[in-house]
Amino acid sequence: MRYSKLLIPTTREVPADAEIPSHRLMIRAGYVRKVASGTYTYLVLGLRSLRKIMQIVREEMDASGAQEILMPVVQPLELWDRTGRSVDYGETLATFTDRHGRGNALAPTAEEVCTHLASQELKSYKQLPVNLYQIGTKVRDEFRPRFGALRSREFIMKDAYSFHTTPECLDVTYRAMYDAYKRIFERCGVPYVIVEAESGEMGGSGSDQFTVPCENGEDVIVHTEDNQYAANIEKAQVDPPAETAARGTEASEEISTPGVGSIEAVCGFLKTKPAEMIKTLVYKADEDTVICLIRGDHELNPEKLTQAAGGAHIEPADEATVRELTGASVGFAGPIGMAGKVAKVYVDPWVAAMCCGITGANKTDCHVKNVVPGRDFPLEGDNVSVIDIRNAAEGDTFGGKALLFHRGIEVGQVFKLGTKYSKKLDACVNDESGASVPCIMGCYGIGINRILASAIEVDNDKNGCIMPIAIAPFEVEVVALNTEKEEVFSKAEQIYTELQAAGVDVLLDDRDARPGVKFKDADLIGIPLRIVVGERGLAEGNVEIKLRTDDKPTGVPFEQAVETILAMVKELKTVG
């Protein structure tokens, strides 16, 4: 293709609202243009890269035995109500009412629709297993879209859904998808790690997340020093305290703390440390009110709490509920006397192991010191559970090994869903005995846009993108200098034509522009291999060849140029 005929609007200006390199470079290199907050138009370069990613995904999915279909973006809200996910997704689920008064959702994913399809079409165990996938647009009404393609309101996702009669059958497909994902990311040329993950609002019994390590990623990866254990922050386990501290013996004492409700404020006022505080957090688990006790220097893990609550919908209680329960303003809740007032008390093991602590007095502007777990509030009972409900933190261990923390970008995740959706949407088949049983399901997602953004985020320099050859918009760029010179242009076009004939995806920069402009644009776009044809070089019988990652070009005889380039392209693909 010829540069002069394409819309490639590169810019030297740094977008004011672009916070991270991939966002800035995708705009500067002409891959995307912003339409509104969290929505983008993918221009020629961006779409070419996305199509290459989709082709890799499609090839690996087809090779694994999955079958491609296409489901609607507009989905009946009634399906989401039946599974309960209209509540789980909350305001992130974009909804509207059509002219007939029917509720609809703009699909953030498609478990409901695919399970509904299965309920209509799958009747016998003989039809299983089956794995259906699509590559299409998804919509999530993100509260704060940010980082360009990494957290946008509209994006392209590959999502697949498998149906089985036994857990063992699901395991086979799950492993096939797991291995296919590894091949996909390797072929796309992006580094990745695989970590244990929580299923979140997806539900189910198990999940693995594919994450690109990156300091600007929104996910936190937790792993042991020897990398024998790795999980995302929602799933990461920690060792319990080695032993319970000797219990305090001083009587609890109410103290006045006027206007200081936060952990930081209380610690400043009482000259204590967060680790000596007990946070009492009031939550709703479906319709029940529960309280969670964690140490003041720890953070509650909503996913662990959800699992502890048996998959109930979890959200912080509103201010009115807190006031009614405790008789105090938010910030002054405490565990004393609460066990008989709530459906459940969840006590983190690190609270249970404390000698004593400071906590809210269930009275506005008051706290209580010398509060002893097990003496002043129960650690056992019908509605009391001592269970890990907090995030891993610096200094924690797992299996006796120190935990390390890094950031990353989630690019894919695989889930074992079980029968959560099939039971609620009547996706049942007759088994070998003739009994009707709900399908056991798996689902498997990949963020197409995120792969592109991740590749740019982890590999760039001051000059622009450094694209993996498998997903670069073009593999090779032929730059013709002095295009008004007939010999220069004809030789550049000859190389371009021969490369095209050999199956290379090549761009010919035929613009009437200064050499510096062409070189800067080539580096900014990130095309892996550049060939420069100029009057001076041809006078010596040479052209210049330069890898995007090299500092300087290398002179190659014109007659050997195409052969040399083909060899370099082959090597880049092999390495990638």
Side-chain angles (χ1 to χ4, degrees):
M1 302 181 77
R2 298 173 185 271
Y3 203 125
S4 63
K5 303 298 183 182
L6 299 178
L7 179 62
I8 308 177
T10 59
T11 178
R12 305 292 176 246
E13 296 180 6
V14 177
D17 63 342
E19 304 170 82
I20 61 174
S22 60
H23 191 188
R24 291 192 292 267
L25 289 172
M26 288 178 74
I27 293 174
R28 287 190 54 220
Y31 281 66
V32 300
R33 283 295 180 265
K34 180 179 176 180
V35 177
S37 178
T39 57
Y40 296 86
T41 294
Y42 283 79
L43 305 182
V44 174
L45 298 181
L47 183 57
R48 288 180 66 86
S49 284
L50 290 180
R51 282 177 171 166
K52 290 184 177 184
I53 295 167
M54 287 187 273
Q55 184 59 29
I56 290 171
V57 170
R58 185 170 280 117
E59 289 173 3
E60 293 296 342
M61 293 300 295
D62 291 348
S64 74
Q67 304 173 56
E68 186 171 8
I69 62 174
L70 183 61
M71 291 175 275
V73 175
V74 177
Q75 303 180 352
L77 189 58
E78 183 266 339
L79 292 177
W80 287 76
D81 290 338
R82 286 173 63 183
T83 63
R85 290 211 302 170
S86 54
V87 174
D88 291 340
Y89 262 81
E91 294 182 350
T92 304
L93 185 66
T95 62
F96 71 94
T97 302
D98 64 26
R99 66 177 68 191
H100 302 291
R102 294 180 296 236
N104 298 276
L106 298 180
T109 180
E111 282 77 15
E112 281 77 6
V113 166
C114 200
T115 308
H116 175 66
L117 173 67
S119 73
Q120 296 175 314
E121 304 299 332
L122 302 179
K123 303 301 180 184
S124 168
Y125 74 94
K126 294 180 180 179
Q127 294 173 273
L128 305 184
V130 64
N131 188 8
L132 305 175
Y133 82 95
Q134 67 171 347
I135 299 175
T137 299
K138 302 295 186 293
V139 178
R140 293 179 186 173
D141 191 5
E142 297 284 358
F143 176 74
R144 188 189 173 197
R146 59 200 300 252
F147 295 167
L150 294 184
R151 184 164 293 280
S152 55
R153 284 197 168 102
E154 183 176 314
F155 53 95
I156 301 172
M157 183 168 77
K158 188 285 300 178
D159 45 324
Y161 309 91
S162 64
F163 300 86
H164 314 265
T165 52
T166 66
E168 293 76 18
C169 182
L170 169 60
D171 288 343
V172 172
T173 298
Y174 188 89
R175 173 52 63 174
M177 290 293 94
Y178 185 99
D179 292 340
Y181 275 34
K182 291 165 62 176
R183 293 192 298 271
I184 286 167
F185 297 122
E186 287 163 5
R187 288 182 61 185
C188 287
V190 292
Y192 69 94
V193 295
I194 305 171
V195 300
E196 292 182 13
E198 279 293 355
S199 298
E201 69 272 352
M202 304 296 289
S205 61
S207 180
D208 289 285
Q209 178 177 304
F210 292 76
T211 303
V212 176
C214 173
E215 63 182 25
N216 288 319
E218 291 191 301
D219 278 47
V220 176
I221 304 168
V222 182
H223 62 94
T224 52
E225 293 174 299
D226 59 3
N227 290 315
Q228 293 300 303
Y229 172 76
N232 64 13
I233 191 68
E234 288 84 5
K235 181 73 172 180
Q237 302 176 59
V238 299
D239 287 331
E243 57 184 28
T244 299
R247 296 301 189 190
T249 56
E250 293 185 54
S252 60
E253 178 184 349
E254 187 175 294
I255 48 180
S256 176
T257 53
V260 287
S262 69
I263 292 292
E264 294 76 13
V266 173
C267 287
F269 185 80
L270 297 179
K271 303 296 186 288
T272 189
K273 299 176 181 178
E276 297 170 342
M277 299 284 298
I278 300 173
K279 283 193 287 192
T280 303
L281 305 175
V282 184
Y283 270 73
K284 299 293 289 188
D286 288 338
E287 300 303 317
D288 293 329
T289 301
V290 302
I291 64 171
C292 309
L293 306 182
I294 59 174
R295 217 168 67 179
D297 59 335
H298 293 155
E299 295 295 328
L300 182 75
N301 185 314
E303 296 296 343
K304 289 182 179 179
L305 178 58
T306 297
Q307 295 300 317
H313 176 70
I314 297 293
E315 62 181 19
D318 58 27
E319 186 174 345
T321 300
V322 175
R323 283 182 175 275
E324 181 180 356
L325 175 67
T326 67
S329 300
V330 173
F332 297 93
I336 298 175
M338 285 293 106
K341 297 182 178 182
V342 296
K344 193 79 173 182
V345 179
Y346 297 100
V347 186
D348 188 79
W350 289 76
V351 168
M354 292 175 70
C355 161
C356 62
I358 300 170
T359 189
N362 296 318
K363 184 186 298 184
T364 301
D365 293 337
C366 288
H367 279 74
V368 181
K369 67 178 183 178
N370 302 325
V371 175
V372 178
R375 182 192 74 182
D376 298 316
F377 62 87
L379 295 179
E380 55 186 27
D382 291 341
N383 71 330
V384 179
S385 291
V386 176
I387 189 169
D388 176 15
I389 54 171
R390 71 169 175 92
N391 282 339
E394 296 288 348
D396 283 333
T397 62
F398 181 65
K401 300 170 184 175
L403 291 177
L404 304 178
F405 297 77
H406 294 94
R407 304 198 74 83
I409 299 167
E410 178 193 342
V411 288
Q413 195 163 350
V414 291
F415 303 85
K416 293 181 179 179
L417 296 179
T419 58
K420 172 181 177 177
Y421 298 90
S422 54
K423 283 183 176 179
K424 293 178 178 178
L425 295 172
D426 301 320
C428 300
V429 297
N430 291 329
D431 65 12
E432 293 185 39
S433 69
S436 178
V437 295
C439 293
I440 299 171
M441 293 176 58
C443 78
Y444 321 92
I446 282 182
I448 304 297
N449 315 67
R450 281 192 170 191
I451 292 177
L452 173 56
S454 298
I456 296 173
E457 186 65 35
V458 300
D459 208 357
N460 63 80
D461 60 20
K462 63 180 181 180
N463 296 317
C465 309
I466 301 175
M467 293 294 292
I469 194 166
I471 63 173
F474 293 95
E475 296 169 338
V476 176
E477 180 171 356
V478 178
V479 178
L481 305 182
N482 314 112
T483 53
E484 73 281 0
K485 301 291 185 179
E486 182 178 349
E487 183 186 14
V488 170
F489 191 76
S490 65
K491 294 293 188 183
E493 195 164 36
Q494 180 182 337
I495 293 175
Y496 165 72
T497 302
E498 290 181 17
L499 289 174
Q500 272 194 324
V504 175
D505 190 10
V506 58
L507 174 66
L508 173 62
D509 191 343
D510 59 340
R511 295 176 296 168
D512 182 15
R514 297 189 306 275
V517 171
K518 295 187 175 188
F519 296 157
K520 285 184 178 296
D521 282 343
D523 283 346
L524 181 57
I525 292 168
I527 297 176
L529 190 56
R530 186 181 81 198
I531 304 97
V532 176
V533 182
E535 188 176 17
R536 182 181 302 174
L538 287 177
E540 300 173 356
N542 293 329
V543 296
E544 291 184 346
I545 297 178
K546 179 182 177 296
L547 289 170
R548 173 62 180 83
T549 52
D550 286 347
D551 293 328
K552 296 180 180 180
T554 300
V556 175
F558 174 81
E559 292 78 11
Q560 300 175 18
V562 171
E563 180 183 352
T564 302
I565 295 160
L566 292 176
M568 294 176 75
V569 167
K570 182 178 180 180
E571 183 178 358
L572 285 173
K573 290 182 175 180
T574 301
V575 172

